[in-house]
Amino acid sequence: MRIEEETQALAARIRAVLAAAFGGGNEADLVERLRADGLVRLALVALEDGEAEDGEVVGHVVFSDLAVEVDGRKVDAVALAPVAVRPDRQRRGTGAALIRAGLERLRRDGCEAVVVLGHPRYYPRFGFSPALARKLAAPFAGDAFMALELAEGALAGAAGSVRYPDAFGIAG
């Protein structure tokens, strides 16, 4: 398995993976809206067998620009959503490999923080913390709403906020 940046040539195969993983087209539509709005900071694919254009897409992850402020200071942040693995390839570490590769790349490129709404027993293995996200006013709350600092102290402060772009279809 190889992890590479997505290309336009893989769009239809990525859409198929998203639809299969989530049982419908909502997440694929989200990814298309994020792309159309120019908000995708990083999108990676997991490929098996062959060259990038011929490889079999078995997973995909998107990190998109997200408006985050803490104590009135803008934080260079992204949302992790969605991450998808073809159902017949799940539970083999593909999703984890995509997330780790994305976080490493984002850290290297100077991104300060990542926010995710996801399973509270899955994402902490990557360093995501619901406690870190609690100070962020957002349309979400609870243990499924988590944050990760890629730069130490990026989310330090008393209170902050997260504003999701229109592409997510979330009020607030």
Side-chain angles (χ1 to χ4, degrees):
M1 179 182 73
R2 297 184 319 285
I3 295 177
E4 299 179 4
E5 284 194 46
E6 73 171 17
T7 64
Q8 180 60 36
L10 297 173
R13 287 182 266 175
I14 291 167
R15 184 172 183 83
V17 167
L18 288 160
F22 290 102
N26 290 340
E27 284 76 11
D29 292 344
L30 167 62
V31 170
E32 288 178 8
R33 288 190 305 269
L34 290 167
R35 285 182 190 133
D37 292 347
L39 296 171
V40 174
R41 176 89 58 100
L42 178 64
L44 301 173
V45 291
L47 297 162
E48 287 185 355
D49 304 323
E51 299 300 316
E53 299 305 318
D54 299 324
E56 186 176 357
V57 177
V58 296
H60 184 251
V61 66
V62 173
F63 297 89
S64 59
D65 292 328
L66 187 64
V68 175
E69 289 188 9
V70 176
D71 293 345
R73 172 182 47 85
K74 290 185 180 191
V75 177
D76 182 7
V78 295
L80 188 174
V83 59
V85 176
R86 229 174 56 192
D88 65 328
R89 295 295 208 284
Q90 292 177 0
R91 303 197 185 287
R92 296 184 187 181
T94 302
L98 283 163
I99 292 168
R100 284 190 180 100
L103 294 175
E104 179 181 317
R105 170 87 175 269
L106 290 163
R107 183 177 284 114
R108 185 191 74 214
D109 291 349
C111 182
E112 297 177 304
V114 183
V115 175
V116 68
L117 181 69
H119 199 287
R121 288 193 314 227
Y122 182 74
Y123 289 94
R125 74 182 71 183
F126 306 103
F128 286 93
S129 164
L132 194 56
R134 283 195 185 100
K135 73 173 104 191
L136 302 174
F140 307 110
D143 287 345
F145 183 60
M146 295 172 264
L148 168 68
E149 290 182 330
L150 297 178
E152 188 175 342
L155 298 174
S161 64
V162 173
R163 189 174 51 77
Y164 283 83
D166 293 340
F168 279 92
I170 300 168

Short mmCIF file of all heavy atoms in Angstrom, two decimals, residues 70-111:
data_model
loop_
_atom_site.label_atom_id
_atom_site.label_comp_id
_atom_site.label_asym_id
_atom_site.label_seq_id
_atom_site.Cartn_x
_atom_site.Cartn_y
_atom_site.Cartn_z
N VAL A 70 -8.52 31.44 19.26
CA VAL A 70 -8.40 31.26 20.71
C VAL A 70 -7.97 32.59 21.29
O VAL A 70 -6.95 33.16 20.86
CB VAL A 70 -7.39 30.15 21.07
CG1 VAL A 70 -7.22 30.06 22.58
CG2 VAL A 70 -7.83 28.81 20.49
N ASP A 71 -8.75 33.09 22.22
CA ASP A 71 -8.49 34.39 22.84
C ASP A 71 -8.27 35.48 21.80
O ASP A 71 -7.39 36.33 21.93
CB ASP A 71 -7.28 34.32 23.80
CG ASP A 71 -7.55 33.46 25.02
OD1 ASP A 71 -8.73 33.15 25.29
OD2 ASP A 71 -6.59 33.10 25.70
N GLY A 72 -9.07 35.45 20.72
CA GLY A 72 -8.99 36.45 19.68
C GLY A 72 -7.85 36.27 18.69
O GLY A 72 -7.71 37.04 17.75
N ARG A 73 -7.04 35.23 18.87
CA ARG A 73 -5.89 34.95 17.99
C ARG A 73 -6.28 33.85 17.01
O ARG A 73 -6.79 32.80 17.39
CB ARG A 73 -4.72 34.47 18.86
CG ARG A 73 -3.52 33.97 18.11
CD ARG A 73 -2.42 33.48 19.07
NE ARG A 73 -2.89 32.62 20.14
CZ ARG A 73 -3.07 31.31 20.03
NH1 ARG A 73 -2.85 30.69 18.89
NH2 ARG A 73 -3.48 30.60 21.07
N LYS A 74 -6.04 34.10 15.72
CA LYS A 74 -6.32 33.08 14.70
C LYS A 74 -5.32 31.95 14.81
O LYS A 74 -4.12 32.18 15.01
CB LYS A 74 -6.29 33.69 13.31
CG LYS A 74 -7.44 34.61 13.05
CD LYS A 74 -7.46 35.09 11.63
CE LYS A 74 -8.65 36.02 11.48
NZ LYS A 74 -8.95 36.36 10.11
N VAL A 75 -5.83 30.74 14.67
CA VAL A 75 -5.01 29.53 14.70
C VAL A 75 -5.05 28.91 13.31
O VAL A 75 -6.13 28.79 12.72
CB VAL A 75 -5.55 28.54 15.75
CG1 VAL A 75 -4.74 27.24 15.74
CG2 VAL A 75 -5.57 29.16 17.14
N ASP A 76 -3.91 28.56 12.77
CA ASP A 76 -3.86 27.87 11.48
C ASP A 76 -4.32 26.43 11.72
O ASP A 76 -3.55 25.60 12.20
CB ASP A 76 -2.44 27.92 10.90
CG ASP A 76 -2.35 27.25 9.54
OD1 ASP A 76 -3.39 26.87 8.96
OD2 ASP A 76 -1.21 27.12 9.04
N ALA A 77 -5.59 26.16 11.39
CA ALA A 77 -6.19 24.88 11.74
C ALA A 77 -6.91 24.27 10.55
O ALA A 77 -7.29 24.96 9.60
CB ALA A 77 -7.16 25.06 12.90
N VAL A 78 -7.10 22.96 10.65
CA VAL A 78 -7.86 22.21 9.65
C VAL A 78 -8.83 21.27 10.35
O VAL A 78 -8.66 20.92 11.51
CB VAL A 78 -6.93 21.38 8.72
CG1 VAL A 78 -6.04 22.28 7.88
CG2 VAL A 78 -6.10 20.39 9.51
N ALA A 79 -9.85 20.88 9.58
CA ALA A 79 -10.77 19.83 10.02
C ALA A 79 -10.35 18.53 9.35
O ALA A 79 -9.98 18.53 8.17
CB ALA A 79 -12.20 20.19 9.62
N LEU A 80 -10.38 17.45 10.09
CA LEU A 80 -10.14 16.13 9.53
C LEU A 80 -11.51 15.55 9.24
O LEU A 80 -12.25 15.21 10.16
CB LEU A 80 -9.39 15.26 10.54
CG LEU A 80 -8.87 13.89 10.12
CD1 LEU A 80 -8.05 13.28 11.23
CD2 LEU A 80 -9.88 12.93 9.62
N ALA A 81 -11.87 15.45 7.97
CA ALA A 81 -13.17 14.88 7.61
C ALA A 81 -13.35 14.95 6.11
O ALA A 81 -13.11 16.02 5.53
CB ALA A 81 -14.30 15.62 8.30
N PRO A 82 -13.78 13.89 5.52
CA PRO A 82 -13.92 12.55 6.10
C PRO A 82 -12.66 11.71 5.89
O PRO A 82 -11.80 12.06 5.09
CB PRO A 82 -15.09 11.97 5.30
CG PRO A 82 -14.95 12.60 3.95
CD PRO A 82 -14.40 13.99 4.20
N VAL A 83 -12.61 10.60 6.61
CA VAL A 83 -11.62 9.56 6.33
C VAL A 83 -12.44 8.31 5.98
O VAL A 83 -13.41 7.99 6.66
CB VAL A 83 -10.66 9.31 7.51
CG1 VAL A 83 -11.38 8.90 8.77
CG2 VAL A 83 -9.60 8.29 7.15
N ALA A 84 -12.06 7.67 4.89
CA ALA A 84 -12.83 6.53 4.41
C ALA A 84 -11.91 5.42 3.94
O ALA A 84 -10.88 5.68 3.32
CB ALA A 84 -13.72 6.97 3.24
N VAL A 85 -12.33 4.20 4.23
CA VAL A 85 -11.61 3.01 3.76
C VAL A 85 -12.67 2.07 3.18
O VAL A 85 -13.73 1.88 3.77
CB VAL A 85 -10.83 2.32 4.89
CG1 VAL A 85 -10.17 1.04 4.40
CG2 VAL A 85 -9.79 3.27 5.48
N ARG A 86 -12.35 1.53 2.03
CA ARG A 86 -13.27 0.59 1.40
C ARG A 86 -13.63 -0.51 2.40
O ARG A 86 -12.75 -1.02 3.11
CB ARG A 86 -12.60 -0.02 0.16
CG ARG A 86 -13.47 0.01 -1.05
CD ARG A 86 -12.77 -0.44 -2.26
NE ARG A 86 -12.19 -1.78 -2.11
CZ ARG A 86 -11.33 -2.31 -2.97
NH1 ARG A 86 -10.94 -1.62 -4.03
NH2 ARG A 86 -10.85 -3.50 -2.78
N PRO A 87 -14.90 -0.89 2.50
CA PRO A 87 -15.31 -1.87 3.52
C PRO A 87 -14.51 -3.16 3.53
O PRO A 87 -14.21 -3.69 4.60
CB PRO A 87 -16.79 -2.12 3.18
CG PRO A 87 -17.24 -0.83 2.57
CD PRO A 87 -16.05 -0.35 1.77
N ASP A 88 -14.11 -3.66 2.36
CA ASP A 88 -13.35 -4.92 2.34
C ASP A 88 -11.89 -4.74 2.74
O ASP A 88 -11.15 -5.71 2.85
CB ASP A 88 -13.44 -5.58 0.96
CG ASP A 88 -12.78 -4.76 -0.14
OD1 ASP A 88 -12.78 -3.51 -0.05
OD2 ASP A 88 -12.26 -5.37 -1.10
N ARG A 89 -11.47 -3.49 3.00
CA ARG A 89 -10.10 -3.22 3.43
C ARG A 89 -10.05 -2.61 4.83
O ARG A 89 -8.99 -2.19 5.29
CB ARG A 89 -9.41 -2.26 2.46
CG ARG A 89 -9.22 -2.80 1.07
CD ARG A 89 -8.26 -3.98 1.07
NE ARG A 89 -7.54 -4.18 -0.15
CZ ARG A 89 -8.03 -4.69 -1.27
NH1 ARG A 89 -9.27 -5.03 -1.33
NH2 ARG A 89 -7.26 -4.85 -2.32
N GLN A 90 -11.18 -2.52 5.50
CA GLN A 90 -11.21 -1.93 6.83
C GLN A 90 -10.58 -2.85 7.86
O GLN A 90 -10.45 -4.05 7.65
CB GLN A 90 -12.65 -1.57 7.23
CG GLN A 90 -13.20 -0.44 6.39
CD GLN A 90 -14.64 -0.10 6.68
OE1 GLN A 90 -15.29 -0.71 7.53
NE2 GLN A 90 -15.16 0.89 5.97
N ARG A 91 -10.17 -2.25 8.97
CA ARG A 91 -9.54 -2.96 10.10
C ARG A 91 -8.19 -3.59 9.73
O ARG A 91 -7.80 -4.61 10.28
CB ARG A 91 -10.48 -3.99 10.70
CG ARG A 91 -11.79 -3.38 11.18
CD ARG A 91 -12.52 -4.30 12.12
NE ARG A 91 -13.80 -3.78 12.48
CZ ARG A 91 -14.04 -2.75 13.31
NH1 ARG A 91 -13.04 -2.11 13.84
NH2 ARG A 91 -15.27 -2.38 13.58
N ARG A 92 -7.50 -2.91 8.81
CA ARG A 92 -6.16 -3.36 8.40
C ARG A 92 -5.13 -2.25 8.56
O ARG A 92 -4.01 -2.37 8.07
CB ARG A 92 -6.17 -3.82 6.95
CG ARG A 92 -7.05 -5.02 6.69
CD ARG A 92 -6.93 -5.44 5.25
NE ARG A 92 -7.87 -6.48 4.93
CZ ARG A 92 -7.98 -7.05 3.75
NH1 ARG A 92 -7.17 -6.67 2.77
NH2 ARG A 92 -8.86 -7.98 3.52
N GLY A 93 -5.52 -1.14 9.19
CA GLY A 93 -4.59 -0.05 9.44
C GLY A 93 -4.52 1.01 8.35
O GLY A 93 -3.73 1.94 8.45
N THR A 94 -5.36 0.89 7.33
CA THR A 94 -5.32 1.85 6.22
C THR A 94 -5.74 3.24 6.68
O THR A 94 -5.06 4.23 6.38
CB THR A 94 -6.22 1.37 5.07
OG1 THR A 94 -5.77 0.07 4.65
CG2 THR A 94 -6.18 2.34 3.90
N GLY A 95 -6.84 3.33 7.41
CA GLY A 95 -7.30 4.63 7.91
C GLY A 95 -6.26 5.27 8.82
O GLY A 95 -5.97 6.47 8.70
N ALA A 96 -5.70 4.48 9.72
CA ALA A 96 -4.68 4.99 10.63
C ALA A 96 -3.46 5.49 9.87
O ALA A 96 -2.89 6.54 10.18
CB ALA A 96 -4.29 3.92 11.65
N ALA A 97 -3.05 4.74 8.84
CA ALA A 97 -1.89 5.15 8.04
C ALA A 97 -2.17 6.46 7.31
O ALA A 97 -1.30 7.34 7.25
CB ALA A 97 -1.52 4.05 7.05
N LEU A 98 -3.37 6.62 6.78
CA LEU A 98 -3.74 7.87 6.11
C LEU A 98 -3.71 9.05 7.09
O LEU A 98 -3.19 10.11 6.77
CB LEU A 98 -5.13 7.75 5.48
CG LEU A 98 -5.22 6.96 4.19
CD1 LEU A 98 -6.66 6.56 3.90
CD2 LEU A 98 -4.63 7.75 3.04
N ILE A 99 -4.30 8.85 8.26
CA ILE A 99 -4.34 9.92 9.26
C ILE A 99 -2.93 10.30 9.71
O ILE A 99 -2.57 11.47 9.76
CB ILE A 99 -5.23 9.53 10.45
CG1 ILE A 99 -6.69 9.43 10.00
CG2 ILE A 99 -5.08 10.52 11.60
CD1 ILE A 99 -7.61 8.76 11.00
N ARG A 100 -2.12 9.30 10.03
CA ARG A 100 -0.75 9.59 10.48
C ARG A 100 0.06 10.32 9.41
O ARG A 100 0.78 11.28 9.71
CB ARG A 100 -0.05 8.30 10.90
CG ARG A 100 -0.51 7.80 12.25
CD ARG A 100 0.35 6.65 12.77
NE ARG A 100 -0.15 6.24 14.06
CZ ARG A 100 -0.93 5.18 14.27
NH1 ARG A 100 -1.27 4.40 13.24
NH2 ARG A 100 -1.37 4.88 15.47
N ALA A 101 -0.06 9.87 8.18
CA ALA A 101 0.67 10.53 7.08
C ALA A 101 0.20 11.97 6.92
O ALA A 101 1.01 12.88 6.72
CB ALA A 101 0.48 9.75 5.78
N GLY A 102 -1.10 12.19 7.03
CA GLY A 102 -1.63 13.54 6.91
C GLY A 102 -1.17 14.44 8.04
O GLY A 102 -0.76 15.58 7.80
N LEU A 103 -1.23 13.94 9.26
CA LEU A 103 -0.80 14.74 10.42
C LEU A 103 0.68 15.09 10.32
O LEU A 103 1.08 16.22 10.62
CB LEU A 103 -1.10 14.02 11.73
CG LEU A 103 -2.58 13.80 12.05
CD1 LEU A 103 -2.73 12.96 13.31
CD2 LEU A 103 -3.32 15.12 12.18
N GLU A 104 1.48 14.14 9.89
CA GLU A 104 2.93 14.39 9.74
C GLU A 104 3.18 15.48 8.70
O GLU A 104 3.97 16.40 8.91
CB GLU A 104 3.63 13.09 9.34
CG GLU A 104 5.11 13.23 9.12
CD GLU A 104 5.72 11.90 8.70
OE1 GLU A 104 5.37 10.86 9.27
OE2 GLU A 104 6.55 11.92 7.76
N ARG A 105 2.48 15.37 7.58
CA ARG A 105 2.65 16.36 6.51
C ARG A 105 2.19 17.75 6.97
O ARG A 105 2.84 18.76 6.72
CB ARG A 105 1.88 15.89 5.28
CG ARG A 105 1.77 16.89 4.20
CD ARG A 105 2.97 16.81 3.25
NE ARG A 105 2.77 17.72 2.16
CZ ARG A 105 2.20 17.41 1.01
NH1 ARG A 105 1.81 16.18 0.78
NH2 ARG A 105 2.06 18.31 0.08
N LEU A 106 1.03 17.81 7.62
CA LEU A 106 0.50 19.08 8.10
C LEU A 106 1.45 19.72 9.12
O LEU A 106 1.69 20.93 9.07
CB LEU A 106 -0.89 18.89 8.71
CG LEU A 106 -2.00 18.56 7.72
CD1 LEU A 106 -3.20 17.99 8.44
CD2 LEU A 106 -2.37 19.79 6.90
N ARG A 107 1.98 18.93 10.03
CA ARG A 107 2.92 19.44 11.03
C ARG A 107 4.15 20.02 10.33
O ARG A 107 4.59 21.12 10.64
CB ARG A 107 3.33 18.32 12.00
CG ARG A 107 4.25 18.77 13.12
CD ARG A 107 4.57 17.65 14.08
NE ARG A 107 3.45 17.39 14.96
CZ ARG A 107 2.73 16.26 14.97
NH1 ARG A 107 3.03 15.27 14.17
NH2 ARG A 107 1.72 16.12 15.80
N ARG A 108 4.68 19.28 9.38
CA ARG A 108 5.84 19.72 8.63
C ARG A 108 5.58 21.02 7.87
O ARG A 108 6.45 21.89 7.76
CB ARG A 108 6.25 18.62 7.64
CG ARG A 108 7.53 18.95 6.88
CD ARG A 108 7.78 18.01 5.74
NE ARG A 108 6.85 18.36 4.65
CZ ARG A 108 6.31 17.49 3.82
NH1 ARG A 108 6.58 16.22 3.93
NH2 ARG A 108 5.49 17.90 2.88
N ASP A 109 4.34 21.19 7.38
CA ASP A 109 3.98 22.37 6.59
C ASP A 109 3.54 23.55 7.45
O ASP A 109 3.15 24.59 6.90
CB ASP A 109 2.89 22.02 5.58
CG ASP A 109 3.40 21.09 4.48
OD1 ASP A 109 4.63 20.89 4.37
OD2 ASP A 109 2.55 20.57 3.73
N GLY A 110 3.59 23.42 8.78
CA GLY A 110 3.32 24.54 9.66
C GLY A 110 1.90 24.69 10.15
O GLY A 110 1.58 25.67 10.82
N CYS A 111 1.03 23.74 9.84
CA CYS A 111 -0.33 23.78 10.39
C CYS A 111 -0.23 23.64 11.91
O CYS A 111 0.58 22.88 12.43
CB CYS A 111 -1.16 22.65 9.80
SG CYS A 111 -2.87 22.63 10.36
#
